[in-house]
Amino acid sequence: MPDGILIVLIAGLVATACGLLGPFLVLRRMALLSDAVSHAVLPGIVAVWLVAQTRAPLPVIVGAAAFAVLCVLGIDALRATGLVASDAAIALVFPALFSLGVLGVTRYAAGIHLDLDSTIYGEIAFVPFDTVRLGGYEVARSGLVLGGVVLFNLLLVGLLWKELKATTFDPQFGATVRLRPRLLSRLLLVAAAVTAVAAFDAVGAILVVTLLIVPAATAYLLTDRLVVMVALAIAVGWVGAAAGYAVALPMDSSIAGAMGLVCTACFVLALLLSPSHGLLTRRWRRRRIVADAPLLR
Amino acid sequence: MSELASEPSMLSTALGLPYTDAVVIAGALVLGITSGVLGAFAVLRRRSLVGDAVAHATLPGVCVAFLVAGMKDVPGLLLGAAIAGLVAALLMVGIERASRIRPDAAIGVVLSGFFAFGVVLLTHLSNSSDADQAGLENYLFGQAAGLLERDVAVMAGLAASALLVVGVLRRALTTTLFDPAYAGAIGLPVRALETVMTALLVVAVVIGVRVVGAILMVAMLVVPTVTARQLADRFPRVLVLAGLIGAAVGVTGALTATRGQLPTGPVVVLTGFTVAVAALLLAPGRGVLWQARRLAARRRTVRRDAVLTQPDAPVSGLRDRLVRAGLRRRGLLAADGTLTAAGRAAAAETAERRALWTAWLEHGPSIRLPDAREPDPTDLRGSLGDDAVAQLRALAAGAPR
């Protein structure tokens, strides 16, 4: 398989995994919590390296998920004191955990191929070189991992669709019919963290956060139906993956960055031109109404 | 850099430290004061994370400034960072106002978009053969060791003008911060003042990004205010305290980092986090432990009163036993579980207190008080005065039940 197609496919897998979760996060006003969590998993990755000297996907995901849970619980505990607002709680916890990770890397794990640049920007260009043998075929390792994550997210969202939907739009109702809204929201964040970790390696933190928030926000401008929103979010992610790759090549710049930029461009288009919510469309419609109504002139 | 370093510098002579240390510490000091004072406006308006997005947005600003100017000229780069940060902040407010996107998603989108743009520019720059761009990445994690005395001077100038603006506009800014509707009603230009506040936040971020880096900057905005808020109730005091705490955290962190040869940003942030958590737990009056202690004392009083008013009730549980033991020790309860003379007096006092409280709840609004303060429910007599208590008693006695 040509490297270019493989890179787009991998990014598309990340986009799918993120697109499944992103709409729920955006609708629950937890978009930034996902940003916080994806930064807070760094010490988990470092800790696994320090303890087990491994970068095998499974232990790394376990370690990172542990810190993701720590991050969410920490934010929740700070908020529960009633002394800090939730945005300040987020702003206190995740930089602290991220700092811990950065210190761990610079102090103890300098040799680890986890140089910070690539975790932040993502070096998706290296994806084709990292392969494992599977049934006689060379398969990209991150493709396998991300395939697993997509499957996991698909199962989570598919099996708990009704529950997630109910608690997203009406947590009180969810609580009265015993749907455990808090448990569900934590489950969602852990899934976001697992997705972030798996994708970290392939595409970098920045693209994970971008793909979790931006396509979902774009889709939110285009539809009022949750199923459609999820589908649109995944679609915008894929557009970002393909077009971003195409843009990055001639510019000789970060592929992950370009993919994020294309997603943002989609958001701007939706913001201006969405049929029902677009800023320009609304203005045109208003003008037409005025033009069509002689009494208003 | 070399020719500057070789000259005896004013800063390092003044502080009696090696050049790099002196500059780093001065930088951290400036950053701490400004992010403390200016961060308070963001944190108290629940916009802490706007700072995060602004910090990420400075990256493309720096890159564009570098592309335009063609060199790492500090004031130029800071200007680029400031313009990009301001554009990002205004975009965020704009998206939030004009569409159905909620604040958190708006912050997320702007943050991702600007950062992606920055990363694209950065990699484009470093892949082009321009050698001078090395070090631009330090904007991500901060690189205090690379600071020059000149940079610190620029930062200090920016900080001083921002603080001056806060000083001049402090009343208008405070009113807008806590009650925008009232501010509008008395004729203050609310939109303009909010823009000024956003611009000040951008200044704080731009100063800090160089020292602690984009990703960690948000902590520097939040830590001082959260800590100061634990220690003070009045806004001017919170502002001043936040500045002092920011300075202390910045300098301590920077010193520790240089001594241990660790990156400055993470050490400063972890220092700040420790301070903030300590304040949240321990601050007198407002701290978590303090509140827990007060709650425990209140629970004890309730249990004690329960035993005093109903000494014959069957003993239930360990807590009850402990309370009874305590009462016995203080001579209020006899060995056989009946009240002693002192115990009866204490019980009467409790009953009297309860009767007064009931009377207050029922008739409180109809008595005249010298001031409008809420009385202390545990000591009505003390906080209301004997006159009011006599009135209450009369009302309670005369009222039909």
Side-chain angles (χ1 to χ4, degrees):
Chain A
M1 202 187 306
D3 289 354
I5 292 182
L6 186 61
I7 288 174
V8 172
L9 273 181
I10 297 285
L13 281 179
V14 179
T16 313
C18 291
L20 285 167
L21 304 177
F24 293 102
L25 297 174
V26 165
L27 287 171
R28 287 162 177 253
R29 308 184 186 204
M30 298 200 312
L32 288 168
L33 218 49
S34 73
D35 176 38
V37 163
S38 64
H39 282 98
V41 295
L42 184 63
I45 302 176
V46 178
V48 168
W49 171 257
L50 287 182
V51 173
Q53 301 286 314
T54 174
R55 263 166 59 78
L58 198 63
V60 167
I61 287 181
V62 171
F67 273 83
V69 174
L70 190 70
C71 173
V72 176
L73 293 183
I75 290 171
D76 216 37
L78 277 184
R79 200 161 40 184
T81 62
L83 298 171
V84 279
S86 65
D87 65 321
I90 294 178
L92 276 177
V93 171
F94 94 83
L97 286 172
F98 192 74
S99 299
L100 218 55
V102 174
L103 278 186
V105 170
T106 46
R107 190 82 177 149
Y108 303 108
I112 168 179
H113 156 70
L114 179 117
D115 62 307
L116 287 172
D117 285 0
S118 76
T119 29
I120 301 296
Y121 312 151
E123 256 319 335
I124 198 170
F126 293 156
V127 160
F129 306 116
D130 185 10
T131 56
V132 287
R133 287 209 143 270
L134 196 78
Y137 290 101
E138 292 274 319
V139 189
R141 190 175 56 78
S142 45
L144 275 183
V145 177
L146 286 170
V149 172
V150 168
L151 213 60
F152 171 76
N153 288 353
L154 204 58
L155 276 177
L156 177 79
V157 173
L159 290 178
L160 294 176
W161 179 263
K162 257 195 315 205
E163 287 80 356
L164 284 172
K165 190 172 171 179
T167 50
T168 298
F169 290 108
D170 196 343
Q172 266 98 34
F173 167 73
T176 28
V177 296
R178 303 254 175 117
L179 289 180
R180 326 261 323 252
R182 277 169 75 92
L183 183 73
L184 282 172
S185 78
R186 283 193 185 148
L187 203 60
L188 212 53
L189 281 171
V190 171
V194 171
T195 308
V197 179
F200 237 20
D201 201 25
V203 301
I206 168 66
L207 191 53
V208 181
V209 174
T210 309
L211 285 175
L212 274 171
I213 301 178
V214 181
T218 310
Y220 186 50
L221 288 170
L222 296 175
T223 178
D224 286 333
R225 291 196 51 202
L226 187 59
V227 194
V228 184
M229 189 175 165
V230 171
L232 276 176
I234 296 174
V236 171
W238 275 90
V239 169
Y245 181 73
V247 170
L249 273 194
M251 277 189 65
D252 192 18
S253 66
S254 156
I255 298 172
M259 290 171 173
L261 216 49
V262 173
C263 289
T264 315
C266 291
F267 174 81
V268 173
L269 280 181
L271 185 68
L272 296 177
L273 300 175
S274 151
S276 45
H277 301 286
L279 300 183
L280 292 182
T281 33
R282 271 197 316 217
R283 179 168 300 172
W284 289 331
R285 204 176 311 138
R286 216 175 305 138
R287 194 171 297 165
R288 214 175 45 227
I289 290 171
V290 173
D292 288 350
L295 285 179
L296 287 176
R297 248 185 300 209
Chain B
M1 178 170 175
S2 53
E3 97 250 40
L4 255 173
S6 59
E7 278 173 33
S9 103
M10 256 171 49
L11 255 179
S12 65
T13 353
L15 293 172
L17 284 166
Y19 178 80
T20 325
D21 289 9
V23 169
V24 168
I25 287 161
L29 184 76
V30 171
L31 157 69
I33 296 175
T34 24
S35 62
V37 174
L38 304 179
F41 288 98
V43 175
L44 295 175
R45 216 172 34 149
R46 312 201 155 191
R47 289 228 170 145
S48 321
L49 291 164
V50 171
D52 192 29
V54 170
H56 281 79
T58 54
L59 182 69
V62 167
C63 293
V64 170
F66 176 76
L67 274 176
V68 171
M71 53 174 184
K72 280 192 292 179
D73 167 42
V74 171
L77 295 189
L78 287 185
L79 185 69
I83 293 173
L86 195 60
V87 170
L90 295 178
L91 272 181
M92 245 172 295
V93 178
I95 292 177
E96 200 183 309
R97 232 177 238 151
S99 75
R100 65 188 332 214
I101 301 288
R102 273 88 166 247
D104 66 319
I107 293 175
V109 168
V110 171
L111 184 154
S112 315
F114 271 77
F115 200 62
F117 184 41
V119 169
V120 165
L121 282 177
L122 196 60
T123 43
H124 178 69
L125 278 176
S126 53
N127 290 347
S128 65
S129 56
D130 201 337
D132 202 25
Q133 55 73 37
L136 280 181
E137 301 95 348
N138 290 332
Y139 273 87
L140 284 184
F141 302 115
Q143 233 268 358
L147 279 178
L148 299 179
E149 193 170 329
R150 208 157 38 112
D151 307 359
V152 177
V154 172
M155 286 164 57
L158 273 175
S161 20
L163 293 179
L164 190 72
V165 171
V166 172
V168 172
L169 294 178
R170 67 182 184 284
R171 272 166 196 271
L173 286 177
T174 312
T175 314
T176 313
L177 172 65
F178 288 107
D179 197 344
Y182 171 71
I186 59 171
L188 290 174
V190 175
R191 282 260 176 123
L193 284 167
E194 295 216 317
T195 313
V196 168
M197 258 190 259
T198 313
L200 289 174
L201 183 67
V202 172
V203 170
V205 168
V206 166
I207 289 172
V209 157
R210 193 80 173 77
V211 182
V212 297
I215 298 175
L216 299 178
M217 185 53 215
V218 60
M220 285 312 292
L221 293 171
V222 174
V223 160
T225 304
V226 166
T227 313
R229 178 66 192 89
Q230 285 300 99
L231 304 174
D233 275 330
R234 307 196 61 84
F235 185 60
R237 271 180 227 166
V238 170
L239 270 190
V240 172
L241 259 180
L244 292 177
I245 291 164
V249 164
V251 171
T252 317
L255 267 178
T256 319
T258 17
R259 291 272 176 281
Q261 303 212 312
L262 293 165
T264 321
V267 177
V268 171
V269 166
L270 283 176
T271 314
F273 180 73
T274 317
V275 169
V277 169
L280 287 173
L281 288 179
L282 305 172
R286 254 173 80 93
V288 170
L289 293 184
W290 208 274
Q291 283 177 4
R293 223 182 64 178
R294 197 157 40 199
L295 188 63
R298 221 167 262 173
R299 284 212 173 110
R300 259 198 316 276
T301 317
V302 170
R303 285 207 192 87
R304 195 195 75 127
D305 287 356
V307 173
L308 280 179
T309 44
Q310 286 179 306
D312 313 329
V315 181
S316 62
L318 178 66
R319 290 235 169 77
D320 200 20
R321 242 176 272 268
L322 283 175
V323 172
R324 279 168 193 271
L327 289 176
R328 233 171 272 138
R329 223 177 314 117
R330 285 162 50 198
L332 298 175
L333 212 58
D336 60 352
T338 56
L339 293 174
T340 62
R344 274 194 297 278
E349 204 182 291
T350 303
E352 144 91 4
R353 201 155 16 98
R354 283 186 182 169
L356 256 187
W357 181 242
T358 316
W360 164 256
L361 288 181
E362 208 163 329
H363 305 290
S366 58
I367 60 167
R368 264 170 207 287
L369 290 174
D371 57 27
R373 254 178 303 172
E374 274 294 303
D376 175 8
T378 57
D379 186 16
L380 270 183
R381 187 181 286 279
S383 52
L384 287 179
D386 287 336
D387 271 4
V389 168
Q391 276 186 55
L392 266 184
R393 181 118 358 101
L395 279 170
R401 272 252 140 201

